Amino acid sequence: QKEVEQNSGPLSVPEGAIASLNCTYSDRGSQSFFWYRQYSGKSPELIMFIYSNGDKEDGRFTAQLNKASQYVSLLIRDSQPSDSATYLCAVHNFNKFYFGSGTKLNVKP
Amino acid sequence: DAGVIQSPRHEVTEMGQEVTLRCKPISGHNSLFWYRQTMMRGLELLIYFNNNVPIDDSGMPEDRFSAKMPNASFSTLKIQPSEPRDSAVYFCASSRDRAEQFFGPGTRLTVL
């Protein structure tokens, strides 16, 4: 079992819709959770982080964390073609850092 | 502020040659990470330094790989001897106190 699991996609949504990206993790002691966006041929770019159960909103992005279910999600409202990228979920527990394999998102104009 | 700086951006070498990748973290960051990314295996953590000390090198694939951080502003990842299966994009990332990481542009390594 991988430490962080993501559906590889591609997830296709029309422009203006809500994109929902999901991630599960296996280490119950995990403390910090991150979402990175990676455009093709570029490096990962941090877009959100969350430490506590519940929701955290930043502009069009909302991160959701449920530690009991070991589940993290990222919602992108009003999706734009420029949001088309691979989204990586990352989990941190003290000195351990794990990345998921990423979900490819396509936003169709 | 300058972000994480990596050099070279591209490296093409022949099997058996030594390869050295370089990284300058963001000023003030005390944690530095080396990652390798391939289509097959995704993003893999190779080694992580905190305050210039290697904390976790369990991701280093084998003895051919070594990493150093002689000071807070410079790190190297060395592969000797290189093999075709080492071909990948190598990223360096830095953070403050193991928090959110900021990635460099990466070095695309091709071993022929």
CSV table of all heavy atoms in Angstrom, one decimal, chain A residues 8-55:
chain,number,residue,atom,x,y,z
A,8,SER,N,-5.2,8.7,-10.6
A,8,SER,CA,-4.3,9.4,-11.6
A,8,SER,C,-5.1,10.2,-12.7
A,8,SER,O,-4.5,11.1,-13.3
A,8,SER,CB,-3.5,8.3,-12.3
A,8,SER,OG,-4.3,7.4,-13.0
A,9,GLY,N,-6.4,9.9,-12.8
A,9,GLY,CA,-7.2,10.7,-13.8
A,9,GLY,C,-6.9,10.1,-15.2
A,9,GLY,O,-6.6,9.0,-15.3
A,10,PRO,N,-7.2,11.0,-16.2
A,10,PRO,CA,-7.5,12.4,-16.1
A,10,PRO,C,-8.9,12.7,-15.6
A,10,PRO,O,-9.8,11.9,-15.9
A,10,PRO,CB,-7.2,12.9,-17.5
A,10,PRO,CG,-7.5,11.8,-18.4
A,10,PRO,CD,-7.1,10.6,-17.6
A,11,LEU,N,-9.0,13.7,-14.9
A,11,LEU,CA,-10.3,14.2,-14.5
A,11,LEU,C,-10.7,15.4,-15.4
A,11,LEU,O,-9.9,16.4,-15.5
A,11,LEU,CB,-10.3,14.7,-13.0
A,11,LEU,CG,-11.5,15.5,-12.5
A,11,LEU,CD1,-12.7,14.5,-12.4
A,11,LEU,CD2,-11.2,16.1,-11.1
A,12,SER,N,-11.8,15.3,-16.1
A,12,SER,CA,-12.2,16.3,-17.1
A,12,SER,C,-13.4,17.0,-16.5
A,12,SER,O,-14.4,16.4,-16.2
A,12,SER,CB,-12.5,15.7,-18.4
A,12,SER,OG,-11.3,15.2,-19.0
A,13,VAL,N,-13.3,18.3,-16.5
A,13,VAL,CA,-14.5,19.2,-16.1
A,13,VAL,C,-14.6,20.3,-17.1
A,13,VAL,O,-13.6,20.8,-17.6
A,13,VAL,CB,-14.3,19.7,-14.6
A,13,VAL,CG1,-14.2,18.6,-13.6
A,13,VAL,CG2,-13.1,20.7,-14.5
A,14,PRO,N,-15.9,20.8,-17.3
A,14,PRO,CA,-16.0,22.0,-18.1
A,14,PRO,C,-15.6,23.2,-17.4
A,14,PRO,O,-15.7,23.3,-16.2
A,14,PRO,CB,-17.5,21.9,-18.4
A,14,PRO,CG,-18.1,21.2,-17.3
A,14,PRO,CD,-17.1,20.2,-16.8
A,15,GLU,N,-15.3,24.2,-18.2
A,15,GLU,CA,-14.9,25.5,-17.6
A,15,GLU,C,-16.1,26.1,-16.8
A,15,GLU,O,-17.2,26.0,-17.2
A,15,GLU,CB,-14.6,26.5,-18.8
A,15,GLU,CG,-14.2,27.9,-18.3
A,15,GLU,CD,-13.7,28.8,-19.5
A,15,GLU,OE1,-13.7,28.3,-20.6
A,15,GLU,OE2,-13.4,29.9,-19.2
A,16,GLY,N,-15.7,26.6,-15.6
A,16,GLY,CA,-16.8,27.1,-14.7
A,16,GLY,C,-17.3,26.1,-13.7
A,16,GLY,O,-17.9,26.6,-12.7
A,17,ALA,N,-17.0,24.9,-13.9
A,17,ALA,CA,-17.5,23.8,-13.0
A,17,ALA,C,-16.6,23.7,-11.7
A,17,ALA,O,-15.5,24.4,-11.7
A,17,ALA,CB,-17.6,22.5,-13.7
A,18,ILE,N,-17.0,22.9,-10.8
A,18,ILE,CA,-16.2,22.6,-9.6
A,18,ILE,C,-15.4,21.4,-9.9
A,18,ILE,O,-16.0,20.3,-10.2
A,18,ILE,CB,-17.0,22.5,-8.3
A,18,ILE,CG1,-17.7,23.8,-8.0
A,18,ILE,CG2,-16.1,22.0,-7.2
A,18,ILE,CD1,-18.7,23.7,-6.8
A,19,ALA,N,-14.1,21.4,-9.7
A,19,ALA,CA,-13.2,20.2,-9.8
A,19,ALA,C,-13.0,19.7,-8.4
A,19,ALA,O,-12.6,20.5,-7.5
A,19,ALA,CB,-11.9,20.6,-10.5
A,20,SER,N,-13.1,18.4,-8.2
A,20,SER,CA,-12.9,17.8,-6.8
A,20,SER,C,-11.8,16.8,-6.9
A,20,SER,O,-11.9,15.8,-7.7
A,20,SER,CB,-14.2,17.2,-6.3
A,20,SER,OG,-14.0,16.6,-5.1
A,21,LEU,N,-10.7,17.0,-6.2
A,21,LEU,CA,-9.6,16.1,-6.2
A,21,LEU,C,-9.4,15.5,-4.9
A,21,LEU,O,-9.5,16.2,-3.9
A,21,LEU,CB,-8.3,16.9,-6.6
A,21,LEU,CG,-8.4,17.7,-7.9
A,21,LEU,CD1,-7.3,18.8,-8.0
A,21,LEU,CD2,-8.3,16.8,-9.1
A,22,ASN,N,-9.1,14.2,-4.8
A,22,ASN,CA,-9.1,13.5,-3.6
A,22,ASN,C,-7.8,12.8,-3.3
A,22,ASN,O,-7.1,12.4,-4.3
A,22,ASN,CB,-10.3,12.5,-3.6
A,22,ASN,CG,-11.6,13.1,-3.9
A,22,ASN,OD1,-11.9,14.1,-3.3
A,22,ASN,ND2,-12.4,12.5,-4.8
A,23,CYS,N,-7.5,12.5,-2.1
A,23,CYS,CA,-6.3,11.9,-1.6
A,23,CYS,C,-6.5,11.2,-0.3
A,23,CYS,O,-7.2,11.7,0.6
A,23,CYS,CB,-5.3,13.1,-1.5
A,23,CYS,SG,-3.7,12.6,-0.6
A,24,THR,N,-6.0,10.0,-0.2
A,24,THR,CA,-6.0,9.3,1.0
A,24,THR,C,-4.6,8.9,1.5
A,24,THR,O,-3.7,8.8,0.6
A,24,THR,CB,-6.9,7.9,1.0
A,24,THR,OG1,-6.3,7.1,-0.1
A,24,THR,CG2,-8.3,8.2,0.6
A,25,TYR,N,-4.4,8.8,2.8
A,25,TYR,CA,-3.1,8.5,3.3
A,25,TYR,C,-3.1,7.5,4.3
A,25,TYR,O,-4.2,7.2,4.9
A,25,TYR,CB,-2.4,9.8,3.8
A,25,TYR,CG,-3.2,10.5,5.0
A,25,TYR,CD1,-2.9,10.2,6.3
A,25,TYR,CD2,-4.2,11.4,4.7
A,25,TYR,CE1,-3.5,10.8,7.3
A,25,TYR,CE2,-4.9,11.9,5.8
A,25,TYR,CZ,-4.6,11.6,7.1
A,25,TYR,OH,-5.3,12.2,8.1
A,26,SER,N,-2.0,6.8,4.5
A,26,SER,CA,-2.0,5.6,5.4
A,26,SER,C,-1.5,5.9,6.8
A,26,SER,O,-1.8,5.2,7.8
A,26,SER,CB,-1.2,4.5,4.8
A,26,SER,OG,0.1,4.9,4.6
A,27,ASP,N,-0.6,6.9,7.0
A,27,ASP,CA,0.0,7.2,8.3
A,27,ASP,C,-0.9,8.0,9.2
A,27,ASP,O,-1.0,9.2,8.9
A,27,ASP,CB,1.4,7.9,8.0
A,27,ASP,CG,2.2,8.1,9.3
A,27,ASP,OD1,1.6,7.9,10.4
A,27,ASP,OD2,3.4,8.5,9.2
A,28,ARG,N,-1.4,7.4,10.2
A,28,ARG,CA,-2.4,8.1,11.1
A,28,ARG,C,-1.7,9.3,11.8
A,28,ARG,O,-2.4,10.2,12.3
A,28,ARG,CB,-3.0,7.2,12.1
A,28,ARG,CG,-4.1,6.3,11.5
A,28,ARG,CD,-5.0,5.7,12.5
A,28,ARG,NE,-6.2,5.1,11.9
A,28,ARG,CZ,-7.3,5.8,11.7
A,28,ARG,NH1,-7.4,7.0,12.0
A,28,ARG,NH2,-8.3,5.2,11.1
A,29,GLY,N,-0.4,9.2,12.0
A,29,GLY,CA,0.3,10.3,12.7
A,29,GLY,C,0.6,11.5,11.8
A,29,GLY,O,1.3,12.4,12.3
A,30,SER,N,0.2,11.5,10.6
A,30,SER,CA,0.5,12.6,9.7
A,30,SER,C,0.0,13.9,10.3
A,30,SER,O,-1.1,14.0,10.8
A,30,SER,CB,-0.1,12.4,8.3
A,30,SER,OG,0.5,11.2,7.8
A,31,GLN,N,0.8,15.0,10.1
A,31,GLN,CA,0.5,16.2,10.8
A,31,GLN,C,0.1,17.3,9.8
A,31,GLN,O,-0.7,18.2,10.2
A,31,GLN,CB,1.7,16.7,11.6
A,31,GLN,CG,2.1,15.6,12.6
A,31,GLN,CD,3.6,15.8,13.0
A,31,GLN,OE1,4.4,16.3,12.2
A,31,GLN,NE2,4.0,15.2,14.1
A,32,SER,N,0.7,17.3,8.7
A,32,SER,CA,0.6,18.4,7.7
A,32,SER,C,0.3,17.9,6.3
A,32,SER,O,0.8,16.8,6.0
A,32,SER,CB,1.9,19.3,7.6
A,32,SER,OG,2.3,19.6,8.9
A,33,PHE,N,-0.6,18.7,5.6
A,33,PHE,CA,-1.1,18.2,4.3
A,33,PHE,C,-1.0,19.3,3.3
A,33,PHE,O,-1.4,20.4,3.6
A,33,PHE,CB,-2.5,17.7,4.5
A,33,PHE,CG,-2.6,16.7,5.6
A,33,PHE,CD1,-2.8,17.1,6.9
A,33,PHE,CD2,-2.5,15.3,5.4
A,33,PHE,CE1,-2.9,16.2,8.0
A,33,PHE,CE2,-2.6,14.4,6.4
A,33,PHE,CZ,-2.8,14.8,7.7
A,34,PHE,N,-0.5,19.0,2.1
A,34,PHE,CA,-0.2,20.0,1.1
A,34,PHE,C,-0.8,19.6,-0.2
A,34,PHE,O,-0.8,18.4,-0.6
A,34,PHE,CB,1.3,20.2,1.0
A,34,PHE,CG,2.0,20.5,2.3
A,34,PHE,CD1,2.5,19.4,3.1
A,34,PHE,CD2,2.2,21.8,2.7
A,34,PHE,CE1,3.1,19.7,4.3
A,34,PHE,CE2,2.8,22.0,3.9
A,34,PHE,CZ,3.3,21.0,4.7
A,35,TRP,N,-1.2,20.6,-1.0
A,35,TRP,CA,-1.5,20.4,-2.4
A,35,TRP,C,-0.6,21.2,-3.3
A,35,TRP,O,-0.4,22.4,-3.0
A,35,TRP,CB,-3.0,20.8,-2.7
A,35,TRP,CG,-4.0,19.8,-2.2
A,35,TRP,CD1,-4.7,19.8,-1.0
A,35,TRP,CD2,-4.4,18.6,-2.9
A,35,TRP,NE1,-5.5,18.7,-0.9
A,35,TRP,CE2,-5.3,18.0,-2.1
A,35,TRP,CE3,-4.0,18.0,-4.1
A,35,TRP,CZ2,-5.9,16.7,-2.4
A,35,TRP,CZ3,-4.6,16.8,-4.4
A,35,TRP,CH2,-5.6,16.2,-3.6
A,36,TYR,N,0.0,20.5,-4.2
A,36,TYR,CA,0.9,21.2,-5.2
A,36,TYR,C,0.3,21.0,-6.6
A,36,TYR,O,-0.4,20.0,-6.9
A,36,TYR,CB,2.3,20.5,-5.2
A,36,TYR,CG,3.1,20.8,-4.0
A,36,TYR,CD1,2.9,20.0,-2.8
A,36,TYR,CD2,4.1,21.8,-4.0
A,36,TYR,CE1,3.7,20.3,-1.7
A,36,TYR,CE2,4.8,22.0,-2.8
A,36,TYR,CZ,4.6,21.3,-1.7
A,36,TYR,OH,5.4,21.5,-0.6
A,37,ARG,N,0.5,22.0,-7.4
A,37,ARG,CA,0.1,22.0,-8.8
A,37,ARG,C,1.4,21.9,-9.6
A,37,ARG,O,2.3,22.6,-9.4
A,37,ARG,CB,-0.7,23.3,-9.2
A,37,ARG,CG,-1.1,23.4,-10.6
A,37,ARG,CD,-1.9,24.7,-10.8
A,37,ARG,NE,-1.1,25.9,-10.5
A,37,ARG,CZ,-1.7,27.0,-10.2
A,37,ARG,NH1,-3.0,27.2,-10.2
A,37,ARG,NH2,-0.9,28.1,-9.9
A,38,GLN,N,1.3,21.0,-10.6
A,38,GLN,CA,2.5,20.9,-11.5
A,38,GLN,C,2.1,20.9,-13.0
A,38,GLN,O,1.4,20.0,-13.4
A,38,GLN,CB,3.3,19.6,-11.2
A,38,GLN,CG,4.6,19.5,-12.0
A,38,GLN,CD,5.4,18.2,-11.6
A,38,GLN,OE1,4.9,17.2,-11.1
A,38,GLN,NE2,6.7,18.3,-11.8
A,39,TYR,N,2.5,22.0,-13.7
A,39,TYR,CA,2.3,22.0,-15.1
A,39,TYR,C,3.3,21.2,-15.8
A,39,TYR,O,4.4,20.9,-15.3
A,39,TYR,CB,2.4,23.5,-15.6
A,39,TYR,CG,1.3,24.4,-15.1
A,39,TYR,CD1,1.5,25.4,-14.2
A,39,TYR,CD2,0.0,24.2,-15.5
A,39,TYR,CE1,0.5,26.3,-13.8
A,39,TYR,CE2,-1.0,25.1,-15.1
A,39,TYR,CZ,-0.7,26.1,-14.2
A,39,TYR,OH,-1.8,26.9,-13.7
A,40,SER,N,2.9,20.7,-17.0
A,40,SER,CA,3.8,19.8,-17.7
A,40,SER,C,5.2,20.4,-18.0
A,40,SER,O,5.3,21.6,-18.4
A,40,SER,CB,3.2,19.4,-19.1
A,40,SER,OG,4.0,18.6,-19.8
A,41,GLY,N,6.2,19.8,-17.6
A,41,GLY,CA,7.6,20.3,-17.8
A,41,GLY,C,8.0,21.3,-16.8
A,41,GLY,O,9.1,21.8,-16.9
A,42,LYS,N,7.2,21.5,-15.7
A,42,LYS,CA,7.6,22.5,-14.7
A,42,LYS,C,7.7,21.8,-13.4
A,42,LYS,O,7.4,20.7,-13.2
A,42,LYS,CB,6.5,23.6,-14.6
A,42,LYS,CG,6.3,24.3,-15.9
A,42,LYS,CD,7.5,25.1,-16.3
A,42,LYS,CE,7.2,26.0,-17.6
A,42,LYS,NZ,8.4,26.8,-18.0
A,43,SER,N,8.1,22.6,-12.4
A,43,SER,CA,8.3,22.1,-11.0
A,43,SER,C,7.0,22.2,-10.2
A,43,SER,O,6.1,23.0,-10.6
A,43,SER,CB,9.4,22.8,-10.3
A,43,SER,OG,9.2,24.2,-10.3
A,44,PRO,N,6.8,21.4,-9.2
A,44,PRO,CA,5.6,21.5,-8.4
A,44,PRO,C,5.5,22.9,-7.7
A,44,PRO,O,6.6,23.4,-7.2
A,44,PRO,CB,5.8,20.4,-7.3
A,44,PRO,CG,6.7,19.4,-8.0
A,44,PRO,CD,7.6,20.2,-8.8
A,45,GLU,N,4.3,23.4,-7.6
A,45,GLU,CA,4.1,24.7,-7.0
A,45,GLU,C,3.1,24.6,-5.9
A,45,GLU,O,2.0,24.1,-6.1
A,45,GLU,CB,3.6,25.7,-8.1
A,45,GLU,CG,3.1,27.0,-7.6
A,45,GLU,CD,2.4,27.8,-8.7
A,45,GLU,OE1,2.0,27.1,-9.7
A,45,GLU,OE2,2.2,29.0,-8.5
A,46,LEU,N,3.4,25.0,-4.7
A,46,LEU,CA,2.5,24.9,-3.6
A,46,LEU,C,1.2,25.8,-3.8
A,46,LEU,O,1.4,27.0,-4.1
A,46,LEU,CB,3.2,25.3,-2.3
A,46,LEU,CG,2.3,25.3,-1.0
A,46,LEU,CD1,2.0,23.8,-0.6
A,46,LEU,CD2,3.0,26.0,0.1
A,47,ILE,N,0.0,25.2,-3.6
A,47,ILE,CA,-1.2,26.1,-3.7
A,47,ILE,C,-1.9,26.1,-2.4
A,47,ILE,O,-2.6,27.1,-2.2
A,47,ILE,CB,-2.1,25.6,-4.9
A,47,ILE,CG1,-2.4,24.1,-4.8
A,47,ILE,CG2,-1.4,25.9,-6.2
A,47,ILE,CD1,-3.4,23.7,-5.9
A,48,MET,N,-1.9,25.1,-1.6
A,48,MET,CA,-2.6,25.0,-0.3
A,48,MET,C,-1.9,24.2,0.7
A,48,MET,O,-1.3,23.2,0.3
A,48,MET,CB,-4.0,24.5,-0.5
A,48,MET,CG,-5.0,25.3,-1.3
A,48,MET,SD,-5.7,26.7,-0.4
A,48,MET,CE,-6.7,25.9,0.9
A,49,PHE,N,-2.1,24.5,2.0
A,49,PHE,CA,-1.7,23.6,3.0
A,49,PHE,C,-2.7,23.6,4.1
A,49,PHE,O,-3.4,24.6,4.3
A,49,PHE,CB,-0.3,23.9,3.6
A,49,PHE,CG,-0.2,25.3,4.2
A,49,PHE,CD1,-0.5,25.5,5.5
A,49,PHE,CD2,0.3,26.3,3.4
A,49,PHE,CE1,-0.3,26.7,6.1
A,49,PHE,CE2,0.4,27.6,4.0
A,49,PHE,CZ,0.1,27.8,5.3
A,50,ILE,N,-2.9,22.5,4.8
A,50,ILE,CA,-3.9,22.4,5.9
A,50,ILE,C,-3.4,21.5,7.0
A,50,ILE,O,-2.7,20.5,6.7
A,50,ILE,CB,-5.2,21.9,5.3
A,50,ILE,CG1,-6.3,22.0,6.4
A,50,ILE,CG2,-5.1,20.5,4.7
A,50,ILE,CD1,-7.7,21.8,5.8
A,51,TYR,N,-3.6,22.0,8.2
A,51,TYR,CA,-3.1,21.2,9.4
A,51,TYR,C,-4.2,20.6,10.2
A,51,TYR,O,-4.0,19.7,11.0
A,51,TYR,CB,-2.2,22.1,10.2
A,51,TYR,CG,-1.0,22.7,9.5
A,51,TYR,CD1,-0.6,24.0,9.8
A,51,TYR,CD2,-0.3,22.0,8.6
A,51,TYR,CE1,0.6,24.5,9.2
A,51,TYR,CE2,0.9,22.5,8.0
A,51,TYR,CZ,1.2,23.8,8.3
A,51,TYR,OH,2.3,24.3,7.6
A,52,SER,N,-5.4,21.3,10.2
A,52,SER,CA,-6.5,20.9,11.1
A,52,SER,C,-7.6,20.4,10.4
A,52,SER,O,-7.9,20.7,9.2
A,52,SER,CB,-6.9,22.1,11.9
A,52,SER,OG,-5.8,22.7,12.6
A,53,ASN,N,-8.4,19.5,11.0
A,53,ASN,CA,-9.6,19.0,10.5
A,53,ASN,C,-10.6,20.2,10.0
A,53,ASN,O,-10.6,21.2,10.7
A,53,ASN,CB,-10.4,18.1,11.5
A,53,ASN,CG,-9.9,16.7,11.5
A,53,ASN,OD1,-9.4,16.2,10.5
A,53,ASN,ND2,-10.0,16.1,12.6
A,54,GLY,N,-11.3,19.9,8.9
A,54,GLY,CA,-12.2,20.9,8.5
A,54,GLY,C,-11.8,21.5,7.1
A,54,GLY,O,-11.1,20.8,6.3
A,55,ASP,N,-12.3,22.7,6.8
A,55,ASP,CA,-12.1,23.3,5.5
A,55,ASP,C,-11.1,24.5,5.7
A,55,ASP,O,-11.2,25.2,6.7
A,55,ASP,CB,-13.4,23.8,4.9
A,55,ASP,CG,-14.3,22.6,4.6
A,55,ASP,OD1,-13.9,21.4,4.8
A,55,ASP,OD2,-15.4,22.9,4.1
